[in-house]
Amino acid sequence: MMQKIANNIWKMSIDCNLYFLDFKERIIIDTGKRGNRHLIEQFLGKLIDLGSIKKVIFTHLHYDHIGNF
């Protein structure tokens, strides 16, 4: 479910495309809908401690993009 698309960049295809950027600061772009939280915890949680994320960027404010974090 998590796909590495470049060095330090991961993509998770759920209802929206969630991106995880693992650089000096850890950033998530779009967080998916609340009902998919268990998938995010399961797959992204294997890569990192979710508490280490410093920024969240939303591309827009639809529920399927902002439901977590």
Side-chain angles (χ1 to χ4, degrees):
M1 181 147 297
M2 291 293 297
Q3 175 187 10
K4 186 173 185 175
I5 59 173
N7 286 339
N8 304 319
I9 301 174
W10 296 80
K11 177 182 176 183
M12 182 174 189
S13 296
I14 45 180
D15 291 334
C16 71
N17 290 319
L18 179 154
Y19 292 91
F20 167 59
L21 311 176
D22 192 11
F23 295 105
K24 186 175 180 178
E25 288 187 309
R26 290 182 161 169
I27 301 169
I28 288 191
I29 302 173
D30 290 335
T31 62
K33 69 179 184 180
R34 185 74 172 165
N36 289 328
R37 187 177 190 97
H38 68 286
L39 294 173
I40 295 167
E41 290 172 344
Q42 178 182 356
F43 291 102
L44 186 55
K46 288 181 182 178
L47 293 175
I48 60 157
D49 170 16
L50 295 176
S52 69
I53 296 167
K54 298 298 180 192
K55 290 184 182 177
V56 176
I57 299 170
F58 299 114
T59 58
H60 60 283
L61 298 178
H62 289 164
Y63 75 95
D64 59 332
H65 290 255
I66 64 168
N68 295 290
F69 296 98

